[in-house]
Amino acid sequence: MPSALITGITGQDGLYLAELLLAKGYDVYGLIRGQNNPKRALVEETVPGVKLLTGDLGDLSSLLRALEVAQPDEVYNLGAISFVAYSWENARVTSEVTGMGVLNILEAVRLYSHDDPAKVRFYQASSSEMFGKVQEVPQRESTLLWPRSPYGVAKVFGHYMTINYRESYGMHASSGILFNHESPRRGPEFVTRKISIAVARIALGLQDHVTLGNLDAKRDWGFAGDYVEAMWRMLQQPEADDYVVATGETHSIGELLDLAFQAVGIDDWSGHVQQNPAFMRPAEVDLLVGDPSKAQDVLGWTRQVDFPGLVKMMVENDLEEQRLLAGK
Ligand code: NAP
Ligand code: G4F
């Protein structure tokens, strides 16, 4: 039975990836931080087959200990401080976890596999946020990186450190440059989930409007359940490499609002949306759209859920959740 260690097990992608690996017969270990992590119960309930090990990306010895226990064939580094807006106010801690944390786990894997550098296959969760002020449309693996946030800068560090460990030590270390991916498990701080929760509550008469920032930004949004399949496929390749994972389509926040409100039968949302500069960012990534040809050709990966299907899935989930919470 192959064994896998996932950092970021409590996050959106950690849960989907754990489900995928358990279904494939893996022995799955998840790294969980903190002495009483409030999301432990969620992980135990959603993926009861996962064995949780305490550790932190900032603590090299905790990572080494987790590797000794899990004896993994594959390590998926999904752990990060992942909210872009937060990264300006907390640039140092974001750099430490999202940037230096990658160095820590790479170094832990290198030390653990000292007898055979390719013993462990390693996945790094790189991000389309690295493209920032985009230098090419659509963005592909070779596009120049120009990050626009402390989070993006930290991800660039982790991305190049992963490539450097592959080239320096012969490690099987791959980097997935994933574009935005969402689901009913998305954190409520991200714009898709913020909107799907608000729309559900508006439809149920529980609130009147949602307050947002920049409605003009465009993103290439896919379904998280599809994207974890690409992560796994990368680690099944004979050679490690870097891949863009995206849908190849881009949509504005305005289009997202159209679909979300249509899902509850509201065609004109103008009275339900307000804007507040507090949600604007010091520097914006205006347009993201990825070219997934390499992932399609080499990995045989394709997305299964389209943008309207994704928005409908999220709004329907939140209608059900909000109805239950409100006792309706
Ligand atoms: P998420 O839901 O925010 O999950 C982040 C995970 O990182 C959580 O499990 C969190 O644990 C963990 N974490 C935070 N600080 C840590 C630390 N010091 N040590 C160990 N773990 C720590 O993110 P996601 O959406 O699942 O994304 C997974 C990864 O892909 C992240 O690296 C993200 O930056 C990257 N990514 C995401 C997208 C996207 O659109 N979702 C796109 C490109 C790249 P706690 O619960 O304890 O905080
Ligand atoms: O949903 P967001 O916060 O995601 P963002 O910044 O694109 O980052 C996500 O995707 C990255 C991949 O490209 C990941 F690496 C990262 O970890 C994260 O998962 O914001 C999307 C867009 C932005 O342009 C933002 O300015 O929505 C705009 N927006 C407008 N109003 C808002 C809001 N974003 C949030 N979170 N909240 C708003 O009220």
Side-chain angles (χ1 to χ4, degrees), residues 82 127-128 151 180 186 189 191 194 213 217 219 281 284:
S82 77
S127 165
S128 52
Y151 167 83
N180 298 51
R186 188 58 143 152
E189 65 273 38
V191 78
K194 183 174 174 180
R219 290 290 181 276
R281 298 176 178 183
E284 180 61 279

Side-chain angles (χ1 to χ4, degrees), residues 153-210:
V153 173
K155 280 288 178 190
V156 171
F157 175 85
H159 181 67
Y160 280 123
M161 202 50 91
T162 302
I163 293 170
N164 183 258
Y165 267 58
R166 179 168 78 219
E167 294 178 352
S168 304
Y169 302 114
M171 277 173 60
H172 193 293
S174 294
S175 179
I177 308 173
L178 269 53
F179 282 61
N180 298 51
H181 46 280
E182 319 291 316
S183 74
R185 292 175 179 161
R186 188 58 143 152
E189 65 273 38
F190 300 96
V191 78
T192 51
R193 189 78 197 288
K194 183 174 174 180
I195 289 174
S196 65
I197 292 173
V199 166
R201 289 176 58 81
I202 290 166
L204 294 170
L206 298 169
Q207 76 183 56
D208 171 61
H209 65 272
V210 57

Side-chain angles (χ1 to χ4, degrees), residues 58-118:
D59 183 341
L60 177 66
S61 64
S62 77
L63 302 175
L64 274 169
R65 194 186 49 80
L67 290 166
E68 291 294 347
V69 176
Q71 304 269 312
D73 302 289
E74 297 172 10
V75 170
Y76 295 87
N77 184 37
L78 310 186
I81 291 180
S82 77
F83 187 35
V84 174
Y86 176 91
S87 77
W88 275 280
E89 285 150 14
N90 301 270
R92 170 84 191 230
V93 72
T94 303
S95 303
E96 279 166 4
V97 176
T98 305
M100 290 297 285
V102 186
L103 175 58
N104 282 340
I105 184 109
L106 281 165
E107 190 57 11
V109 170
R110 185 183 75 83
L111 292 169
Y112 167 74
S113 353
H114 58 89
D115 50 336
D116 172 10

Side-chain angles (χ1 to χ4, degrees), residues 141 176-178 227 229-231 233-234 237 242-247 291-303:
E141 291 79 7
I177 308 173
L178 269 53
Y227 284 40
E229 170 79 27
M231 298 176 187
R233 287 183 182 229
M234 282 177 219
Q237 299 308 306
D242 309 315
Y243 298 88
V244 158
V245 180
T247 71
D291 173 1
S293 328
K294 182 175 172 185
Q296 285 167 354
D297 297 347
V298 180
L299 305 177
W301 176 83
T302 46
R303 64 105 184 258

Side-chain angles (χ1 to χ4, degrees), residues 251-266:
H251 301 277
S252 66
I253 314 286
E255 289 171 77
L256 168 62
L257 286 164
D258 286 342
L259 287 170
F261 277 101
Q262 277 163 19
V264 296
I266 298 174

Side-chain angles (χ1 to χ4, degrees), residues 5-17:
L5 173 66
I6 302 173
T7 73
I9 190 70
T10 61
Q12 169 188 258
D13 292 6
L15 293 174
Y16 281 110
L17 180 64

